[in-house]
Amino acid sequence: GGYAEATLRRIARYGDGWLPWRQPNETMAATLERLWSYTREAGRDPSEIGLEPKLDVNRGSPDVWHTFVEGWRRLGATHLCVNTMGAGFRTPAEHIAALERAARELGIHAL
């Protein structure tokens, strides 16, 4: 995680993944371009660094989820974190049910 230039440079040199937990917008596209540039400067292939954005199930409808996921796919996401914390669930079963619903809505076949 992290968005400072020093963080991006560390990811480029040493990281095998990054957790960009923000919206897939022009700002993030520009940040990724800088990260990939730093990665090439470090003598590495950008494909060596996975991207795992975080989808909060308590924000928006499944249509919003799809837009988020598709936006990150276009930006090159390799993984997806589905977050149920902060959604008001009180039991593990409620968290699991929310994860199962997200998987169904997004067409994810394995959790």
Side-chain angles (χ1 to χ4, degrees):
Y3 303 91
E5 292 305 307
T7 301
L8 296 176
R9 289 183 182 278
R10 272 193 306 277
I11 294 164
R13 278 192 305 272
Y14 308 114
D16 59 6
W18 185 39
L19 308 172
W21 291 356
R22 294 193 176 160
Q23 292 297 312
N25 55 29
E26 293 302 317
T27 300
M28 286 309 304
T31 301
L32 286 169
E33 285 303 316
R34 289 194 317 279
L35 174 59
W36 302 148
S37 176
Y38 299 153
T39 302
R40 287 186 290 275
E41 287 173 13
R44 297 180 65 203
D45 183 336
S47 69
E48 296 175 24
I49 301 174
L51 297 176
E52 185 173 342
K54 177 180 73 168
L55 173 67
D56 290 308
V57 298
N58 63 335
R59 295 193 183 183
S61 66
D63 288 338
V64 171
W65 302 349
H66 280 281
T67 300
F68 179 88
V69 169
E70 287 307 313
W72 272 109
R73 275 192 182 132
R74 283 192 299 276
L75 291 179
T78 56
H79 298 78
L80 177 67
C81 172
V82 179
N83 178 42
T84 62
M85 294 184 300
F89 302 128
R90 291 168 285 148
T91 67
E94 290 175 318
H95 287 273
I96 291 167
L99 290 169
E100 290 172 339
R101 177 178 180 226
R104 276 191 314 276
E105 293 287 347
L106 296 170
I108 299 169
H109 302 290
L111 289 175

